[in-house]
C-alpha cells in the first residue's frame, strides 16, 4: 500500500538517499566525475540543498511511502525563475524511485502539486526539466504544461539546457 504525507526532519537521511540515487541513475551517466561530484555535494548530503529545503518552511513537500520507505516526492518552492510571476508556484522536483514507476505515484504527486498551487490561488505552476528527459517532458505535457523558455542548469562546470514549462491555472 502506498501512502502520502508530509516529511519531517527525521526523514532527511531517507529522503536524501532516495533522491540522490534517483538522480544518479537518471542523469549520472552524462557527466565527468568531477562535475558529478560537485553537483551531488551541492544538492545532497549533510550540507546539500535538499536538506536545506526540508528545513525551510517556505518549501512545501509531499512524499510517497511504501512499507515506511520513501519512494517518491514532490516539493513546491518559492518561484525563482525570471519567467515566474510574484504569485506563481514552482515545482522544484518530482521524483519517483526506480522500481516504482508505473504505479500512479507520479500522477498522485503531480495532482497534489497542482491542487496545492490552486489552493494558494497561484495563476501558474512552473518547473524546469532537463531537455533530454523525454519521459518527464511528455508527462508534464499531458497535464498541459508548455515550454516557455530555457534555463542554464549547472552540473559542476557543465551547463545543461533545462526547459522551463508552465501550466496556467
Amino acid at each position: 500500500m502506498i501512502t502520502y504525507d508530509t516529511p519531517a526532519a527525521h526523514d532527511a537521511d531517507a529522503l536524501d538517499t532516495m533522491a540522490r540515487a534517483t538522480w544518479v541513475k537518471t542523469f549520472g551517466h552524462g557527466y565527468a566525475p568531477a562535475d558529478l561530484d560537485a553537483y551531488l555535494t551541492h544538492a545532497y548530503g549533510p550540507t546539500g540543498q535538499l536538506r536545506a529545503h526540508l528545513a525551510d518552511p517556505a518549501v512545501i513537500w509531499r512524499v510517497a511511502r511504501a512499507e515506511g520507505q520513501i519512494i517518491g516526492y514532490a516539493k513546491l518552492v518559492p518561484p525563482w525563475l525570471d519567467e515566474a510571476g510574484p504569485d506563481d508556484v514552482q515545482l522544484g522536483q518530482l521524483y519517483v524511485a526506480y522500481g516504482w514507476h508505473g504505479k500512479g505515484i507520479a500522477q498522485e504527486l503531480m495532482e497534489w502539486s497542482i491542487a496545492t498551487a490552486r489552493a494558494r490561488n497561484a495563476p501558474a505552476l512552473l518547473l524546469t526539466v532537463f531537455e533530454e528527459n523525454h519521459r518527464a517532458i511528455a508527462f508534464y505535457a499531458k497535464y498541459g504544461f508548455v515550454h516557455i523558455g530555457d534555463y542554464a542548469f549547472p552540473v559542476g562546470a557543465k551547463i545543461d539546457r533545462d526547459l522551463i514549462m508552465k501550466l496556467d491555472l
Side-chain angles (χ1 to χ4, degrees):
M1 181 168 108
I2 299 169
T3 60
Y4 297 87
D5 62 57
T6 303
H10 68 267
D11 290 312
D13 288 342
L15 187 59
D16 192 77
T17 298
M18 177 263 160
R20 179 186 172 108
T22 302
W23 195 94
V24 169
K25 186 164 182 146
T26 305
F27 305 112
H29 62 276
Y31 301 99
D35 291 332
L36 182 60
D37 184 57
Y39 176 76
L40 294 175
T41 299
H42 165 76
Y44 306 110
T47 60
Q49 186 179 44
L50 184 133
R51 288 175 193 261
H53 279 175
L54 188 58
D56 184 345
V59 177
I60 305 167
W61 290 82
R62 187 75 167 168
V63 296
R65 299 177 197 261
E67 299 176 12
Q69 179 185 14
I70 295 175
I71 57 170
Y73 72 92
K75 69 177 180 179
L76 300 175
V77 300
W80 50 263
L81 290 165
D82 291 340
E83 291 78 1
D87 296 324
D88 290 340
V89 171
Q90 188 168 325
L91 177 60
Q93 290 171 324
L94 192 159
Y95 284 9
V96 175
Y98 280 82
W100 291 95
H101 291 185
K103 300 188 184 319
I105 298 165
Q107 291 81 358
E108 180 72 27
L109 292 170
M110 179 53 76
E111 289 166 14
W112 170 85
S113 299
I114 293 168
T116 302
R118 284 186 174 139
R120 297 175 65 124
N121 295 314
L125 179 61
L126 290 94
L127 58 85
T128 64
V129 59
F130 182 40
E131 70 177 330
E132 294 178 21
N133 191 345
H134 304 292
R135 181 178 181 162
I137 293 166
F139 174 78
Y140 297 134
K142 285 181 185 177
Y143 282 90
F145 283 86
V146 295
H147 177 207
I148 62 162
D150 296 335
Y151 172 72
F153 184 84
V155 178
K158 184 177 180 189
I159 305 298
D160 287 336
R161 176 179 172 243
D162 275 15
L163 307 181
I164 300 169
M165 298 184 78
K166 178 180 180 182
L167 173 65
D168 289 321
L169 301 172

